[in-house]
PDB file of all heavy atoms in Angstrom:
ATOM      1  N   MET A 483      -8.490 -10.881 -39.527  1.00  0.00           N
ATOM      2  CA  MET A 483      -9.743 -10.997 -38.880  1.00  0.00           C
ATOM      3  C   MET A 483      -9.948  -9.723 -38.028  1.00  0.00           C
ATOM      4  O   MET A 483      -9.082  -9.348 -37.292  1.00  0.00           O
ATOM      5  CB  MET A 483      -9.736 -12.228 -37.953  1.00  0.00           C
ATOM      6  CG  MET A 483     -11.037 -12.809 -37.646  1.00  0.00           C
ATOM      7  SD  MET A 483     -11.006 -14.271 -36.532  1.00  0.00           S
ATOM      8  CE  MET A 483     -10.750 -15.579 -37.752  1.00  0.00           C
ATOM      9  N   ASN A 484     -11.082  -9.068 -38.149  1.00  0.00           N
ATOM     10  CA  ASN A 484     -11.372  -7.911 -37.382  1.00  0.00           C
ATOM     11  C   ASN A 484     -12.287  -8.279 -36.176  1.00  0.00           C
ATOM     12  O   ASN A 484     -12.625  -9.398 -35.992  1.00  0.00           O
ATOM     13  CB  ASN A 484     -12.018  -6.789 -38.200  1.00  0.00           C
ATOM     14  CG  ASN A 484     -13.349  -7.185 -38.750  1.00  0.00           C
ATOM     15  OD1 ASN A 484     -14.142  -7.972 -38.137  1.00  0.00           O
ATOM     16  ND2 ASN A 484     -13.694  -6.704 -39.977  1.00  0.00           N
ATOM     17  N   VAL A 485     -12.610  -7.284 -35.343  1.00  0.00           N
ATOM     18  CA  VAL A 485     -13.372  -7.572 -34.118  1.00  0.00           C
ATOM     19  C   VAL A 485     -14.698  -8.168 -34.441  1.00  0.00           C
ATOM     20  O   VAL A 485     -15.173  -9.131 -33.808  1.00  0.00           O
ATOM     21  CB  VAL A 485     -13.487  -6.281 -33.271  1.00  0.00           C
ATOM     22  CG1 VAL A 485     -14.426  -6.519 -32.099  1.00  0.00           C
ATOM     23  CG2 VAL A 485     -12.171  -5.777 -32.849  1.00  0.00           C
ATOM     24  N   GLN A 487     -15.557 -10.001 -37.007  1.00  0.00           N
ATOM     25  CA  GLN A 487     -15.393 -11.358 -37.404  1.00  0.00           C
ATOM     26  C   GLN A 487     -15.087 -12.263 -36.203  1.00  0.00           C
ATOM     27  O   GLN A 487     -15.554 -13.356 -36.106  1.00  0.00           O
ATOM     28  CB  GLN A 487     -14.245 -11.508 -38.452  1.00  0.00           C
ATOM     29  CG  GLN A 487     -14.633 -10.880 -39.768  1.00  0.00           C
ATOM     30  CD  GLN A 487     -13.433 -10.709 -40.691  1.00  0.00           C
ATOM     31  OE1 GLN A 487     -12.369 -10.387 -40.245  1.00  0.00           O
ATOM     32  NE2 GLN A 487     -13.628 -11.041 -41.979  1.00  0.00           N
ATOM     33  N   LEU A 488     -14.279 -11.738 -35.279  1.00  0.00           N
ATOM     34  CA  LEU A 488     -13.946 -12.499 -34.052  1.00  0.00           C
ATOM     35  C   LEU A 488     -15.170 -12.745 -33.221  1.00  0.00           C
ATOM     36  O   LEU A 488     -15.438 -13.850 -32.693  1.00  0.00           O
ATOM     37  CB  LEU A 488     -12.914 -11.793 -33.186  1.00  0.00           C
ATOM     38  CG  LEU A 488     -11.471 -11.964 -33.636  1.00  0.00           C
ATOM     39  CD1 LEU A 488     -10.575 -11.046 -32.834  1.00  0.00           C
ATOM     40  CD2 LEU A 488     -11.045 -13.373 -33.453  1.00  0.00           C
ATOM     41  N   ILE A 499     -15.523 -16.120 -26.805  1.00  0.00           N
ATOM     42  CA  ILE A 499     -14.637 -16.097 -27.992  1.00  0.00           C
ATOM     43  C   ILE A 499     -13.623 -17.183 -27.803  1.00  0.00           C
ATOM     44  O   ILE A 499     -12.992 -17.300 -26.728  1.00  0.00           O
ATOM     45  CB  ILE A 499     -13.983 -14.718 -28.078  1.00  0.00           C
ATOM     46  CG1 ILE A 499     -15.015 -13.630 -28.309  1.00  0.00           C
ATOM     47  CG2 ILE A 499     -12.908 -14.671 -29.234  1.00  0.00           C
ATOM     48  CD1 ILE A 499     -14.509 -12.234 -28.145  1.00  0.00           C
ATOM     49  N   ASP A 500     -13.384 -17.916 -28.820  1.00  0.00           N
ATOM     50  CA  ASP A 500     -12.429 -19.018 -28.796  1.00  0.00           C
ATOM     51  C   ASP A 500     -11.007 -18.443 -28.725  1.00  0.00           C
ATOM     52  O   ASP A 500     -10.655 -17.563 -29.501  1.00  0.00           O
ATOM     53  CB  ASP A 500     -12.579 -19.880 -30.063  1.00  0.00           C
ATOM     54  CG  ASP A 500     -11.727 -21.091 -30.016  1.00  0.00           C
ATOM     55  OD1 ASP A 500     -11.738 -21.816 -28.974  1.00  0.00           O
ATOM     56  OD2 ASP A 500     -11.060 -21.388 -31.005  1.00  0.00           O
ATOM     57  N   VAL A 501     -10.220 -18.966 -27.779  1.00  0.00           N
ATOM     58  CA  VAL A 501      -8.843 -18.461 -27.581  1.00  0.00           C
ATOM     59  C   VAL A 501      -8.033 -18.655 -28.893  1.00  0.00           C
ATOM     60  O   VAL A 501      -7.196 -17.831 -29.252  1.00  0.00           O
ATOM     61  CB  VAL A 501      -8.111 -19.117 -26.377  1.00  0.00           C
ATOM     62  CG1 VAL A 501      -6.655 -18.763 -26.356  1.00  0.00           C
ATOM     63  CG2 VAL A 501      -8.793 -18.641 -25.104  1.00  0.00           C
ATOM     64  N   ALA A 502      -8.275 -19.762 -29.628  1.00  0.00           N
ATOM     65  CA  ALA A 502      -7.533 -19.993 -30.878  1.00  0.00           C
ATOM     66  C   ALA A 502      -7.809 -18.881 -31.868  1.00  0.00           C
ATOM     67  O   ALA A 502      -6.904 -18.419 -32.588  1.00  0.00           O
ATOM     68  CB  ALA A 502      -7.940 -21.376 -31.469  1.00  0.00           C
ATOM     69  N   ALA A 503      -9.041 -18.403 -31.974  1.00  0.00           N
ATOM     70  CA  ALA A 503      -9.380 -17.282 -32.858  1.00  0.00           C
ATOM     71  C   ALA A 503      -8.726 -16.024 -32.371  1.00  0.00           C
ATOM     72  O   ALA A 503      -8.185 -15.239 -33.180  1.00  0.00           O
ATOM     73  CB  ALA A 503     -10.887 -17.142 -32.921  1.00  0.00           C
ATOM     74  N   PHE A 504      -8.747 -15.793 -31.080  1.00  0.00           N
ATOM     75  CA  PHE A 504      -8.067 -14.619 -30.472  1.00  0.00           C
ATOM     76  C   PHE A 504      -6.567 -14.684 -30.803  1.00  0.00           C
ATOM     77  O   PHE A 504      -5.970 -13.658 -31.122  1.00  0.00           O
ATOM     78  CB  PHE A 504      -8.299 -14.639 -29.007  1.00  0.00           C
ATOM     79  CG  PHE A 504      -7.529 -13.630 -28.196  1.00  0.00           C
ATOM     80  CD1 PHE A 504      -7.812 -12.262 -28.303  1.00  0.00           C
ATOM     81  CD2 PHE A 504      -6.490 -14.044 -27.394  1.00  0.00           C
ATOM     82  CE1 PHE A 504      -7.073 -11.362 -27.565  1.00  0.00           C
ATOM     83  CE2 PHE A 504      -5.731 -13.130 -26.631  1.00  0.00           C
ATOM     84  CZ  PHE A 504      -6.051 -11.759 -26.780  1.00  0.00           C
ATOM     85  N   ASP A 505      -5.951 -15.849 -30.635  1.00  0.00           N
ATOM     86  CA  ASP A 505      -4.537 -16.002 -30.923  1.00  0.00           C
ATOM     87  C   ASP A 505      -4.146 -15.599 -32.351  1.00  0.00           C
ATOM     88  O   ASP A 505      -3.054 -15.114 -32.589  1.00  0.00           O
ATOM     89  CB  ASP A 505      -4.109 -17.471 -30.670  1.00  0.00           C
ATOM     90  CG  ASP A 505      -3.966 -17.800 -29.181  1.00  0.00           C
ATOM     91  OD1 ASP A 505      -3.937 -16.842 -28.349  1.00  0.00           O
ATOM     92  OD2 ASP A 505      -3.847 -18.980 -28.853  1.00  0.00           O
ATOM     93  N   CYS A 506      -5.058 -15.855 -33.317  1.00  0.00           N
ATOM     94  CA  CYS A 506      -4.781 -15.609 -34.732  1.00  0.00           C
ATOM     95  C   CYS A 506      -5.175 -14.200 -35.191  1.00  0.00           C
ATOM     96  O   CYS A 506      -4.878 -13.826 -36.302  1.00  0.00           O
ATOM     97  CB  CYS A 506      -5.492 -16.634 -35.585  1.00  0.00           C
ATOM     98  SG  CYS A 506      -4.965 -18.298 -35.337  1.00  0.00           S
ATOM     99  N   ALA A 507      -5.857 -13.516 -34.342  1.00  0.00           N
ATOM    100  CA  ALA A 507      -6.367 -12.126 -34.706  1.00  0.00           C
ATOM    101  C   ALA A 507      -5.262 -11.128 -34.842  1.00  0.00           C
ATOM    102  O   ALA A 507      -4.206 -11.251 -34.185  1.00  0.00           O
ATOM    103  CB  ALA A 507      -7.343 -11.666 -33.685  1.00  0.00           C
ATOM    104  N   PRO A 508      -5.439 -10.130 -35.701  1.00  0.00           N
ATOM    105  CA  PRO A 508      -4.448  -9.063 -35.762  1.00  0.00           C
ATOM    106  C   PRO A 508      -4.360  -8.409 -34.392  1.00  0.00           C
ATOM    107  O   PRO A 508      -5.322  -8.389 -33.593  1.00  0.00           O
ATOM    108  CB  PRO A 508      -5.045  -8.085 -36.776  1.00  0.00           C
ATOM    109  CG  PRO A 508      -6.000  -8.903 -37.590  1.00  0.00           C
ATOM    110  CD  PRO A 508      -6.510  -9.934 -36.657  1.00  0.00           C
ATOM    111  N   ARG A 509      -3.235  -7.809 -34.074  1.00  0.00           N
ATOM    112  CA  ARG A 509      -3.008  -7.224 -32.762  1.00  0.00           C
ATOM    113  C   ARG A 509      -4.070  -6.176 -32.377  1.00  0.00           C
ATOM    114  O   ARG A 509      -4.530  -6.183 -31.223  1.00  0.00           O
ATOM    115  CB  ARG A 509      -1.606  -6.635 -32.700  1.00  0.00           C
ATOM    116  CG  ARG A 509      -1.225  -6.163 -31.345  1.00  0.00           C
ATOM    117  CD  ARG A 509       0.165  -5.667 -31.210  1.00  0.00           C
ATOM    118  NE  ARG A 509       0.602  -5.080 -32.450  1.00  0.00           N
ATOM    119  CZ  ARG A 509       1.717  -4.428 -32.630  1.00  0.00           C
ATOM    120  NH1 ARG A 509       2.572  -4.323 -31.649  1.00  0.00           N
ATOM    121  NH2 ARG A 509       2.041  -3.913 -33.783  1.00  0.00           N
ATOM    122  N   GLU A 510      -4.470  -5.343 -33.324  1.00  0.00           N
ATOM    123  CA  GLU A 510      -5.456  -4.308 -33.028  1.00  0.00           C
ATOM    124  C   GLU A 510      -6.809  -4.951 -32.619  1.00  0.00           C
ATOM    125  O   GLU A 510      -7.495  -4.464 -31.743  1.00  0.00           O
ATOM    126  CB  GLU A 510      -5.659  -3.366 -34.224  1.00  0.00           C
ATOM    127  CG  GLU A 510      -4.420  -2.600 -34.612  1.00  0.00           C
ATOM    128  CD  GLU A 510      -3.371  -3.448 -35.386  1.00  0.00           C
ATOM    129  OE1 GLU A 510      -3.794  -4.444 -36.006  1.00  0.00           O
ATOM    130  OE2 GLU A 510      -2.203  -3.092 -35.403  1.00  0.00           O
ATOM    131  N   ALA A 511      -7.185  -5.954 -33.324  1.00  0.00           N
ATOM    132  CA  ALA A 511      -8.475  -6.674 -33.020  1.00  0.00           C
ATOM    133  C   ALA A 511      -8.350  -7.372 -31.690  1.00  0.00           C
ATOM    134  O   ALA A 511      -9.320  -7.295 -30.871  1.00  0.00           O
ATOM    135  CB  ALA A 511      -8.801  -7.670 -34.113  1.00  0.00           C
ATOM    136  N   ALA A 512      -7.243  -7.967 -31.363  1.00  0.00           N
ATOM    137  CA  ALA A 512      -7.042  -8.622 -30.089  1.00  0.00           C
ATOM    138  C   ALA A 512      -7.087  -7.597 -28.939  1.00  0.00           C
ATOM    139  O   ALA A 512      -7.723  -7.824 -27.914  1.00  0.00           O
ATOM    140  CB  ALA A 512      -5.715  -9.368 -30.071  1.00  0.00           C
ATOM    141  N   ALA A 513      -6.438  -6.466 -29.197  1.00  0.00           N
ATOM    142  CA  ALA A 513      -6.437  -5.379 -28.144  1.00  0.00           C
ATOM    143  C   ALA A 513      -7.867  -4.881 -27.940  1.00  0.00           C
ATOM    144  O   ALA A 513      -8.279  -4.648 -26.791  1.00  0.00           O
ATOM    145  CB  ALA A 513      -5.550  -4.223 -28.597  1.00  0.00           C
ATOM    146  N   ALA A 514      -8.682  -4.804 -28.954  1.00  0.00           N
ATOM    147  CA  ALA A 514     -10.030  -4.296 -28.822  1.00  0.00           C
ATOM    148  C   ALA A 514     -10.878  -5.281 -28.030  1.00  0.00           C
ATOM    149  O   ALA A 514     -11.771  -4.886 -27.237  1.00  0.00           O
ATOM    150  CB  ALA A 514     -10.684  -4.095 -30.196  1.00  0.00           C
ATOM    151  N   LEU A 515     -10.568  -6.589 -28.142  1.00  0.00           N
ATOM    152  CA  LEU A 515     -11.293  -7.611 -27.355  1.00  0.00           C
ATOM    153  C   LEU A 515     -10.871  -7.568 -25.889  1.00  0.00           C
ATOM    154  O   LEU A 515     -11.673  -7.906 -24.998  1.00  0.00           O
ATOM    155  CB  LEU A 515     -11.074  -8.965 -27.949  1.00  0.00           C
ATOM    156  CG  LEU A 515     -11.756  -9.205 -29.293  1.00  0.00           C
ATOM    157  CD1 LEU A 515     -11.252 -10.523 -29.942  1.00  0.00           C
ATOM    158  CD2 LEU A 515     -13.221  -9.206 -29.188  1.00  0.00           C
ATOM    159  N   ALA A 530      -1.691  -8.808 -25.823  1.00  0.00           N
ATOM    160  CA  ALA A 530      -1.803  -8.904 -27.271  1.00  0.00           C
ATOM    161  C   ALA A 530      -0.504  -9.361 -27.900  1.00  0.00           C
ATOM    162  O   ALA A 530      -0.502 -10.199 -28.860  1.00  0.00           O
ATOM    163  CB  ALA A 530      -2.274  -7.584 -27.866  1.00  0.00           C
ATOM    164  N   ARG A 533       0.658 -13.355 -27.405  1.00  0.00           N
ATOM    165  CA  ARG A 533      -0.011 -14.474 -28.066  1.00  0.00           C
ATOM    166  C   ARG A 533       0.969 -15.291 -28.904  1.00  0.00           C
ATOM    167  O   ARG A 533       1.968 -14.729 -29.305  1.00  0.00           O
ATOM    168  CB  ARG A 533      -1.144 -13.951 -28.962  1.00  0.00           C
ATOM    169  CG  ARG A 533      -2.247 -13.284 -28.182  1.00  0.00           C
ATOM    170  CD  ARG A 533      -3.253 -12.557 -29.024  1.00  0.00           C
ATOM    171  NE  ARG A 533      -2.586 -11.569 -29.857  1.00  0.00           N
ATOM    172  CZ  ARG A 533      -2.903 -11.323 -31.085  1.00  0.00           C
ATOM    173  NH1 ARG A 533      -3.901 -11.918 -31.715  1.00  0.00           N
ATOM    174  NH2 ARG A 533      -2.233 -10.409 -31.800  1.00  0.00           N
ATOM    175  N   PHE A 594     -13.613 -15.295 -22.960  1.00  0.00           N
ATOM    176  CA  PHE A 594     -12.912 -16.312 -23.742  1.00  0.00           C
ATOM    177  C   PHE A 594     -13.182 -17.732 -23.261  1.00  0.00           C
ATOM    178  O   PHE A 594     -13.439 -18.011 -22.142  1.00  0.00           O
ATOM    179  CB  PHE A 594     -11.394 -16.048 -23.635  1.00  0.00           C
ATOM    180  CG  PHE A 594     -10.993 -14.737 -24.223  1.00  0.00           C
ATOM    181  CD1 PHE A 594     -10.769 -13.638 -23.430  1.00  0.00           C
ATOM    182  CD2 PHE A 594     -10.828 -14.586 -25.583  1.00  0.00           C
ATOM    183  CE1 PHE A 594     -10.411 -12.405 -23.983  1.00  0.00           C
ATOM    184  CE2 PHE A 594     -10.437 -13.394 -26.165  1.00  0.00           C
ATOM    185  CZ  PHE A 594     -10.244 -12.280 -25.327  1.00  0.00           C
TER     186      PHE A 594
END
Side-chain angles (χ1 to χ4, degrees):
M483 204 180 275
N484 62 34
V485 174
Q487 291 168 319
L488 279 172
I499 298 166
D500 188 47
V501 171
F504 171 73
D505 284 345
C506 296
R509 187 174 32 173
E510 297 78 22
L515 291 170
R533 295 170 304 141
F594 296 98

